[in-house]
Amino acid sequence: MHIMEGMLPTEWAAFWWAVTGIILVVSIIHLNKVVRKNRDVLPLLAVSGAFIFVLSSLKIPVGISSSHPTGTGLSSIAFGPAITSVLCAIVLLFQALFLAHGGLTTLGANCFAMGFFGPLLAWCLFKFMKKTSVNIYFTVFLATFVAGLGTYIMTSLQIALAHGMEVMLPLLEIFALWQIPIAIVEGLVIVVAFKYIAKVKGDFLLKTNVITEEQLAKINS
């Protein structure tokens, strides 16, 4: 999931840095507004960041990248892709500097794939399914699954754009072998975490429009 240092040509590394930089500037402004408006979000922000750091550090080397849980499911559901991108940028920078996971030149690409694109898909899916009669836990599971799968699809595309589209399909086949079972396990983990948070902080999730009153009542029943 993390593209290693030096695996992207300079022009592509710069392109993804530029795109991600714009996203992060807007996202940091949004995050500051959210925190100033409601400081009660800080504990959940911390928990969400911890999930991203711990789960995404469990890397399995796969070709010129790596496969691992992304940990972004909880943040994507609770805060959306903007705030998730900020949390991911912090995590990915730390991992690149101290864990040799990813790289500095590829930080922009990695942050876009794992911190924005995957979470954006998850957030959109969660918002759509929340309005349906689908079980909230299955909705959380599916959103988390999509966040992980969407990330590896974007990572494959980023590598293919830089090295030739003919490598896209082989990369997808390699990543799918690992990412699908990983995403399933991650989805189950996030469901358990979400259930606990909903039990102890259901009023917060209700106030921030993460869940509806009907869904909260079912969780607490």
Side-chain angles (χ1 to χ4, degrees), residues 131-204:
K131 299 176 182 178
T132 69
S133 59
V134 176
N135 180 278
I136 185 62
Y137 296 131
F138 181 73
T139 299
V140 171
F141 169 82
L142 196 59
T144 302
F145 180 85
V146 166
L149 217 58
T151 298
Y152 98 80
I153 290 173
M154 175 51 64
T155 299
S156 299
L157 178 60
Q158 289 171 324
I159 296 173
L161 286 172
H163 297 283
M165 291 305 296
E166 64 274 8
V167 305
M168 180 75 176
L169 184 58
L171 284 173
L172 290 175
E173 292 173 346
I174 293 172
F175 280 129
L177 178 66
W178 294 99
Q179 195 60 35
I180 290 177
I182 289 174
I184 290 173
V185 173
E186 181 182 1
L188 296 174
V189 170
I190 298 300
V191 165
V192 173
F194 180 85
K195 183 176 182 179
Y196 175 77
I197 293 170
K199 288 282 188 181
V200 300
K201 285 289 185 181
D203 55 338
F204 171 79

Side-chain angles (χ1 to χ4, degrees), residues 64-81:
I64 57 178
S65 184
S66 60
S67 191
H68 53 76
T70 64
T72 59
L74 181 60
S75 180
S76 302
I77 291 166
F79 299 110

Side-chain angles (χ1 to χ4, degrees), residues 38-98:
N38 184 8
R39 296 189 67 82
D40 290 342
V41 305
L42 292 174
L44 186 53
L45 274 173
V47 171
S48 299
F51 264 102
I52 295 171
F53 176 76
V54 173
L55 293 181
S56 65
S57 295
L58 305 174
K59 66 176 182 177
I60 302 171
V62 177
I64 57 178
S65 184
S66 60
S67 191
H68 53 76
T70 64
T72 59
L74 181 60
S75 180
S76 302
I77 291 166
F79 299 110
I83 291 177
T84 302
S85 69
V86 178
L87 296 178
C88 274
I90 296 170
V91 168
L92 289 168
L93 177 61
F94 185 93
Q95 290 175 338
L97 290 174
F98 302 107

Side-chain angles (χ1 to χ4, degrees), residues 106-130:
T106 58
L107 182 61
N110 287 329
C111 187
F112 180 84
M114 193 178 98
F116 183 74
F117 184 76
L120 176 62
L121 296 181
W123 180 74
C124 291
L125 179 64
F126 181 79
K127 287 294 184 181
F128 171 76
M129 292 187 65
K130 191 182 72 170

